[in-house]
Amino acid sequence: MRPAVIAATGLYTPPESISNAELVAAFNAYVADFNQTNAARISAGEIEPLAPSSVEFIEKASGIKARYVVEKAGIIDPKIMRPVIPERPNEEISILAEIAVKAAEQALERWGKPRERIGAVLCAASNMQRGYPAMAIEVQNALGLGGFAFDMNVACSSATFGLKTAADFVGSGSVDAVLMVNPEICSGHLNFRDRDSHFIFGDVATAAIVERADDAQDGWDILGTKLKTQFSNNIRNNFGFLNRAAPEGRDLPDKLFVQQGRKVFKEVVPMVSEMIIDHAAELGIDPHGLKRLWLHQANINMNEIIGRKVLGREPSREENVIILDDYANTSSAGSIIAFHKYSDDLKSGDHGLICSFGAGYSAGTVFVKKR
Ligand code: CO8
């Protein structure tokens, strides 16, 4: 296998952000309205009143303080509580491809090489806007790239699965360089009326270029990649093309993100910590010597436990990067945002880890060394 490097990354952050206070105000207005409208049924014991959300709970349980979204007004309107995104004609670029292209343009600019060298485009994300044509082909077309392109979805782990796929394509000699994009419009798939999860996600797009090591002047050597999946019903998205065929009706059902957050926390933390330590041992890397962790950004408490187990000490914020306070969980993009924003300062020879984990369950580890 030819060695591969992560040569450049890109990030597109939507301009609008929602603070916890704004989100909770909208949720609690909805709850007050619901409880008032249903007061008779609630006092008759037919239904339970809805409980309010709280800023303090959200911050303590998750570490999230705000989230960027592609459309704010609809989400924080208690009568709407979802992003309002008009459909676009087929002749216009779709919004998911549009944000992917913005991140990709930044990665291509930072790379600084002719884009003709890109031989493949991967769109690796949790939710694709449609079945086909592939989002990746739309992105390839918008950027004027050649080669081939396809979509892949491994939920929150899509980006590490994408990096491995890219490194393997480059390693086998199929192509010299791959562009991977991770457009995540999580707000489109989030139930903003669900107290347990209304605060969890945000929107963003990231991009990474993986190329042959002997073509690269700088960047990050990919020392090893490992993927793991293990079936679990604890995080689900049941939205799909067969929903409309369900016998109970043809209306689009409300099949949104649901999870058993506490179970996910308990099961995924040991699975991922062990995977990282085992993979490091296989590669002959001392995990205690890692200069930086760019972990999946779902929950600050999860990342602190994993960080302690992997590094064998209390990691500083510089060592164990957290971006979920500003971005919330951006699914596959989280670890790439962390890497993009907090990697330039490391020195040649420094080792680090990009790691994702999420629905499936799925997890991926990518050990890198600064050139
Ligand atoms: N406000 C106030 N109180 C609340 C709220 C709220 N909003 N929500 C729950 N509570 C209450 C509960 O009712 C409960 O009360 P009680 O103790 O009286 O019963 C108490 O708070 C504790 O509730 P939980 O046990 O649920 O709270 P946790 O401490 O477990 O925190 C978390 C909840 C933050 C969700 C936490 O469990 C967590 O982060 N777990 C890990 C989740 C994770 O990593 N998931 C990965 C999902 S992402 C993925 O892979 C799929 C990507 C797909 C993208 C789709 C885009 C939408």
Side-chain angles (χ1 to χ4, degrees):
M1 289 282 270
R2 300 186 304 186
V5 304
I6 299 175
T9 54
L11 169 66
Y12 170 71
T13 302
E16 293 189 308
S17 169
I18 303 177
S19 69
N20 284 345
E22 291 172 299
L23 197 72
V24 166
F27 182 87
N28 289 350
Y30 154 73
V31 165
D33 184 53
F34 178 93
N35 288 346
Q36 197 181 7
T37 310
N38 294 285
R41 293 182 66 203
I42 292 169
S43 50
E46 287 172 32
I47 54 168
E48 290 290 322
L50 295 181
S53 184
S54 93
V55 171
E56 296 69 33
F57 168 83
I58 295 171
E59 217 172 305
K60 188 161 180 286
S62 69
I64 294 164
K65 294 180 183 158
R67 68 284 297 142
Y68 292 96
V69 291
V70 294
E71 203 281 327
K72 175 171 176 174
I75 295 172
I76 58 166
D77 182 336
K79 297 253 179 288
I80 302 176
M81 296 183 83
R82 58 181 172 77
V84 178
I85 304 171
E87 280 197 4
R88 295 179 178 185
N90 290 352
E91 293 67 36
E92 209 179 306
I93 190 166
S94 57
I95 186 166
L96 203 77
E98 183 179 85
I99 66 169
V101 164
K102 286 179 177 165
E105 289 284 14
Q106 192 187 44
L108 288 164
E109 196 185 311
R110 286 163 70 116
W111 190 41
K113 293 185 180 170
R115 55 182 67 191
E116 293 70 43
R117 292 168 86 149
I118 303 281
V121 179
L122 309 180
C123 181
S126 286
N127 288 289
M128 299 301 164
Q129 182 146 1
R130 56 171 183 262
Y132 46 82
M135 302 309 302
I137 303 176
E138 192 179 4
V139 171
Q140 174 196 28
N141 180 55
L143 290 167
L145 302 176
F148 62 91
F150 62 91
D151 294 346
M152 49 189 292
N153 177 350
V154 201
C156 288
S157 295
S158 300
T160 52
F161 278 62
L163 286 176
K164 179 173 173 50
T165 305
D168 287 355
F169 276 153
V170 167
S172 66
S174 301
V175 296
D176 289 336
V178 178
L179 168 69
M180 174 191 69
V181 290
N182 321 105
E184 294 285 9
I185 304 185
C186 299
S187 62
H189 200 77
L190 185 54
N191 184 355
F192 288 97
R193 295 194 170 98
D194 175 32
R195 179 174 176 255
D196 288 344
S197 63
H198 76 111
F199 56 89
I200 293 181
F201 290 98
D203 303 335
V204 80
T206 50
I209 294 170
V210 174
E211 72 172 328
R212 300 165 51 159
D214 54 8
D215 273 354
Q217 285 73 51
D218 42 29
W220 295 80
D221 286 311
I222 298 177
L223 303 175
T225 53
K226 203 171 193 79
L227 309 178
K228 182 181 170 82
T229 51
Q230 183 182 303
F231 184 75
S232 167
N233 268 325
N234 290 334
I235 314 170
R236 285 197 73 112
N237 160 357
N238 285 327
F239 184 79
F241 76 105
L242 285 180
N243 294 152
R244 63 183 286 274
E248 57 268 24
R250 288 180 176 272
D251 289 343
L252 263 190
D254 205 18
K255 303 268 187 210
L256 298 166
F257 169 88
V258 284
Q259 72 167 354
Q260 304 288 327
R262 190 144 286 202
K263 283 192 188 160
V264 175
F265 195 118
K266 278 197 183 144
E267 292 171 8
V268 167
V269 166
M271 181 182 108
V272 169
S273 310
E274 194 182 315
M275 179 176 171
I276 295 170
I277 291 165
D278 289 352
H279 190 198
E282 276 171 35
L283 296 170
I285 295 170
D286 173 12
H288 296 180
L290 291 171
K291 284 285 183 300
R292 196 150 295 168
L293 302 178
W294 301 283
L295 300 179
H296 174 49
Q297 303 283 319
N299 182 300
I300 195 169
N301 305 313
M302 278 174 121
N303 286 18
E304 284 176 352
I305 299 172
I306 295 172
R308 271 196 296 277
K309 286 196 177 171
V310 170
L311 297 181
R313 60 179 178 276
E314 191 62 52
S316 67
R317 201 40 77 78
E318 285 70 39
E319 289 174 315
N320 194 6
V321 176
I322 296 294
I323 57 90
L324 63 82
D325 46 355
D326 288 338
Y327 282 85
N329 182 342
T330 49
S331 196
S332 69
S335 58
I336 308 297
I337 303 173
F339 179 74
H340 174 84
K341 287 175 80 96
Y342 299 102
S343 55
D344 286 348
D345 59 312
L346 291 195
K347 297 191 192 62
S348 176
D350 283 347
H351 288 60
L353 169 73
I354 301 170
C355 174
S356 65
F357 39 88
Y361 296 133
S362 58
T365 45
V366 179
F367 283 91
V368 292
K369 185 174 81 170
K370 179 100 179 219
R371 305 201 104 204

